[in-house]
Amino acid sequence: MTERNLTFAANWKMNHGVAAARAFAQKFLTHTSPVEGRRLWFFPPAVSIGALSEAMKGRPDIWVGAQNVHWEPKGAYTGGISIPMVTEVGARLTLVGHSERRHLFGETDEQVARKTRAALVAGITPLVCVGETLAERDGGRTEQVIVRQIGALLGMLTAGDWRDVVLAYEPVWAIGTGKNATPDDAAQIHELIRMELGRKGVKVKVPILYGGSVNSGNVASLLTRPQLNGVLVGGASLTPEGWAELIDRGSKAKVRPSGGFDMVEG
Ligand code: 13P
């Protein structure tokens, strides 16, 4: 049993087609067993959702999701994939608004909010990503950006909808760069998000994962902060052995007795 509920989410991005996903699952299953309070989520490329769901079906602690979906159930959206299509092959989750979607593909706050609402209506869990770029951070605009991104969601969701939402804080400057936020940085932004939700009348405690260069060497120290409910991992989730080790180390993290972050003076 983990000390608290923890989610370990693997975002494979554009890696692992069907054969590779199946081979991954076969090995991964020999390296891990279900642990009470621990959820293991996988976001493979869309073509591998079916095969991975099938391969993991004996493990209720493992859920598979899409990396991106359209908000419409069908229609003339070339290249798009809808929520009914991914659920048909086993998806129970979807990432929404990953920074690569926002920054490389121009996804807007409004589109992110529409996708989130569509996922909720369809009964799958949206894992919605927020986070600032390096320029925004250096310009002292982190809080403003996060509040804007959360604001778009607040505008389209009811207070009750938040019961089924999971958020990920992924600072864009930390993704794939080897630079990760310190445990205190991450804890402070998670706290900020919770305060903002609370200010806007959201009463439920929304789980928030941290993402950005998480690896098996830093996961335990990040998860000492009670503000983090898990991690969302790209590069370090791509091998079954490495991902299982990261999960194992993170699961053993002890929450610091002092709780949150150390306030920096000045
Ligand atoms: P890395 O773990 O490779 O930095 O990627 C993070 C990420 O974008 C997960 O969604």
Side-chain angles (χ1 to χ4, degrees), residues 9-11 13 95 98-100 129 170 174-179 211-215 232-237:
N11 174 10
K13 308 190 179 184
L95 279 175
H98 188 276
S99 70
E100 286 149 17
C129 306
E170 294 209 308
I175 295 178
T177 58
K179 289 185 206 148
S213 295
V214 178
N215 57 42
L232 175 56
V233 181
S237 72

Side-chain angles (χ1 to χ4, degrees), residues 67-182:
Q67 293 175 12
N68 180 40
V69 288
H70 199 282
W71 56 83
E72 292 292 346
K74 63 180 180 179
Y77 302 99
T78 300
I81 297 184
S82 73
I83 297 170
M85 291 170 187
V86 297
T87 54
E88 187 184 344
V89 291
R92 302 169 77 175
L93 310 151
T94 185
L95 279 175
V96 185
H98 188 276
S99 70
E100 286 149 17
R101 302 289 329 160
R102 292 178 187 263
H103 297 291
L104 303 177
F105 300 98
E107 208 164 280
T108 64
D109 291 337
E110 200 233 331
Q111 291 171 335
V112 171
R114 289 173 81 160
K115 291 179 181 194
T116 304
R117 199 177 55 185
L120 291 169
V121 168
I124 65 169
T125 303
L127 171 51
V128 189
C129 306
V130 298
E132 80 287 6
T133 63
L134 184 60
E136 289 161 345
R137 178 182 168 87
D138 288 347
R141 284 182 286 128
T142 299
E143 178 165 350
Q144 191 188 325
V145 169
I146 304 281
V147 167
R148 191 201 73 221
Q149 292 172 335
I150 296 289
L153 296 171
L154 284 160
M156 231 180 262
L157 305 184
T158 65
D161 283 339
W162 287 89
R163 210 183 337 254
D164 302 312
V165 175
V166 180
L167 294 174
Y169 169 54
E170 294 209 308
V172 181
W173 50 269
I175 295 178
T177 58
K179 289 185 206 148
N180 69 304
T182 65

